[in-house]
């Protein structure tokens, strides 16, 4: 069964056709690159998959059917516009976001320690998000995406703001997720990044 199946998707905003006749499928254990320049409709397509926007035409199936709350909890989404609470401490923010995905606090706290160590953020866990560098915030956003162990990972421009060392780390991490059988839908305008994965 495909994790995501999109058929003949279309979406317009007034006179602007953002998406036209888009079809693809993403399987477990696959990294799928949604490629195109800025303004090509990649984020709009993702938002239709996530049921944020309703398509004008076409169909979207996630985990074999219509996306419900149980399905939404199986998705980790990292938007291009970062969504962390800047005035809150990093650790409490990440635990709160995991709770929204159905994790209880002890499990989230336990799993979070390993992720903070992985991304060298342990010493920054009690800092406010706004006190972190852009690259650290990007890593924190990735932790928020993966902390609840989603089956489908959707990431929009995942390498924005990362230095070369962190970029390699994120690529390795995404490949590990793929090898674990997760489905990854990655939106990017950088062809070489998609080809590398």
């Amino acid at each position: 069964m495909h994790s995501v199946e999109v058929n003949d998707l279309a979406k317009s905003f007034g006179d602007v056709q953002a998406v036209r006749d888009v079809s693809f499928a993403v399987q477990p254990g696959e990294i799928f690159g949604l490629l195109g320049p800025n303004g090509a409709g990649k984020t709009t397509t993702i938002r239709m998959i996530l049921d944020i926007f309703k398509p004008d035409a076409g169909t979207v199936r996630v985990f074999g059917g219509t996306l419900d709350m149980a399905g939404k909890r199986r998705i980790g989404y990292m938007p291009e516009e970062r969504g962390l609470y800047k005035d809150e401490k990093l650790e409490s923010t990440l635990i709160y976001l995991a709770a929204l995905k159905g994790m209880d606090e002890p499990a989230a706290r336990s799993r979070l320690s390993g992720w903070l160590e992985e991304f060298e953020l342990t010493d920054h866990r009690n800092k406010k998000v706004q006190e972190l560098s852009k690259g650290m915030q990007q890593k924190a956003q990735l932790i928020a995406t993966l902390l609840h162990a989603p089956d489908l990972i959707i990431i929009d421009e995942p390498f924005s703001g990362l230095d070369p060392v962190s970029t390699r780390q994120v690529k390795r991490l995404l490949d590990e997720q793929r090898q674990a059988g997760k489905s990854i839908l990655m939106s990017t305008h950088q062809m070489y990044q998609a080809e590398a994965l």
Side-chain angles (χ1 to χ4, degrees), residues 31 78 115 118-119 135 138-143 146 153 155 157-178 184 186 193 197:
I31 298 176
M78 188 172 85
W115 283 111
E118 168 87 20
F119 284 108
Q138 179 80 338
K139 291 176 183 180
Q141 187 78 43
L142 191 57
I143 292 171
L146 299 174
I153 300 161
I155 47 178
E157 299 295 348
F159 305 109
S160 174
L162 293 181
D163 60 52
V165 172
S166 297
T167 297
R168 279 195 304 276
Q169 183 182 27
V170 170
K171 285 179 181 177
R172 178 184 52 76
L173 181 64
L174 291 177
D175 191 53
E176 287 172 1
Q177 295 292 310
R178 180 194 61 75
I184 301 168
M186 180 180 75
Q193 298 286 19
L197 287 163

Side-chain angles (χ1 to χ4, degrees), residues 114-131:
W115 283 111
L116 290 173
E117 190 173 320
E118 168 87 20
F119 284 108
E120 299 175 350
L121 290 172
T122 303
D123 293 341
H124 305 282
R125 68 192 322 151
N126 291 314
K127 287 185 180 177
K128 289 185 177 181
V129 171
Q130 66 188 1
E131 296 171 350

Side-chain angles (χ1 to χ4, degrees), residues 9-22:
L9 214 56
K11 180 70 178 176
S12 294
F13 299 97
D15 294 334
V16 177
Q17 177 125 40
V19 176
R20 180 177 58 227
D21 299 328
V22 171

Side-chain angles (χ1 to χ4, degrees), residues 14-141:
D15 294 334
V16 177
Q17 177 125 40
V19 176
R20 180 177 58 227
D21 299 328
V22 171
S23 299
F24 61 85
V26 184
Q27 300 186 66
E30 177 181 20
I31 298 176
F32 183 91
L34 193 58
L35 294 168
N38 291 332
K42 301 181 302 294
T43 299
T44 299
T45 299
I46 286 172
R47 289 178 178 167
M48 286 188 281
I49 292 168
L50 294 170
D51 198 32
I52 296 168
F53 292 160
K54 298 292 183 192
D56 297 334
T59 59
V60 176
R61 293 173 60 81
V62 181
F63 304 123
T66 304
L67 189 59
D68 58 11
M69 187 54 70
K72 288 178 181 181
R73 288 186 167 183
R74 295 175 60 195
I75 297 173
Y77 173 46
M78 188 172 85
E80 184 174 9
E81 313 85 27
R82 304 306 175 229
L84 299 176
Y85 300 104
K86 295 195 178 290
D87 288 331
E88 299 297 324
K89 291 182 178 178
L90 175 62
E91 182 176 47
S92 58
T93 297
L94 294 174
I95 289 170
Y96 171 72
L97 293 173
L100 292 178
K101 290 293 189 172
M103 284 191 81
D104 62 54
E105 184 177 337
R109 193 173 295 280
S110 173
R111 194 177 291 169
L112 178 58
S113 293
W115 283 111
L116 290 173
E117 190 173 320
E118 168 87 20
F119 284 108
E120 299 175 350
L121 290 172
T122 303
D123 293 341
H124 305 282
R125 68 192 322 151
N126 291 314
K127 287 185 180 177
K128 289 185 177 181
V129 171
Q130 66 188 1
E131 296 171 350
L132 303 175
S133 70
K134 185 176 179 182
M136 287 179 179
Q137 288 183 34
Q138 179 80 338
K139 291 176 183 180
Q141 187 78 43

